[in-house]
Amino acid sequence: FDVDIGAFRRSFGGVIDDPLCQLPHQLCASPAYLTAHGAPRHPRDLVAHRCLSFLPTGPEWMFDGPRGRVSIQVRPYLSSNEGHVLVKSAIAGNGIAFISHYLAADALRSGALQLLLADFPIPELWVKATIPERRVNAAAVQALLLQLKTSLSMEL
């Protein structure tokens, strides 16, 4: 392959990671869910909640707290590899979603979803290009990376 685009935190041997753009994540739930189940006050409270998890991200959710990084292993009520499914499920009151900002932005603006755990931000996650070391200087690869960085800086 010439270039792989992804947002995984871990990298692989024999490749170069080139960050393209930040992909902010948020924790949110519907007012109906919060009325029925209450709002978590600390990330550890999430183990008692219905959690809606993005399958590629997995059930380990990380937060930056006042005393450092907090890692929580949740038991997902629903896991999906489609972010829109998680947003719709959260809006329907099915649980707390760990989701990309761009997917939840409209629902947050309208009040269909509410932001949770503002004192525990989610660590930065970046969309990145993963390039085999042998292909990193290829003209076509460099042209694609420039186009992606330009486009994504305007989109997100």
Side-chain angles (χ1 to χ4, degrees):
F1 69 94
D2 288 332
V3 177
D4 176 62
I5 309 297
F8 294 104
R9 287 185 173 93
R10 296 177 189 96
S11 190
F12 309 94
V15 298
I16 305 292
D17 289 336
D18 192 352
L20 300 174
C21 69
Q22 191 173 5
L23 186 62
H25 279 68
Q26 297 172 321
L27 200 67
C28 50
S30 71
Y33 177 86
L34 297 172
T35 297
H37 301 280
R41 294 184 176 197
H42 188 278
R44 70 178 164 259
D45 297 340
L46 292 168
V47 298
H49 282 272
R50 293 179 173 181
C51 294
L52 311 176
S53 181
F54 186 56
L55 198 55
T57 305
E60 182 181 16
W61 294 0
M62 289 186 271
F63 302 87
D64 287 331
R67 295 185 179 147
R69 180 117 337 140
V70 178
S71 176
I72 302 298
Q73 194 77 21
V74 299
R75 291 176 314 219
Y77 179 74
L78 170 69
S79 291
S80 176
N81 64 353
E82 171 50 57
H84 295 287
V85 168
L86 297 175
V87 170
K88 288 180 181 183
S89 186
I91 290 169
N94 292 320
I96 297 174
F98 184 95
I99 195 76
S100 297
H101 170 74
Y102 78 94
L103 291 171
D106 289 341
L108 288 165
R109 272 193 295 277
S110 73
L113 292 177
Q114 294 180 359
L115 211 51
L116 302 175
L117 297 177
D119 293 338
F120 295 89
I122 295 169
E124 288 183 353
L125 185 63
W126 283 76
V127 173
K128 63 183 180 179
T130 302
I131 309 138
E133 290 173 345
R134 69 183 187 346
R135 298 293 299 149
V136 75
N137 292 320
V141 169
Q142 289 302 311
L144 175 61
L145 292 175
L146 179 61
Q147 179 62 40
L148 287 170
K149 288 177 182 178
T150 302
S151 297
L152 289 171
S153 69
M154 292 184 280
E155 295 291 323
L156 298 173

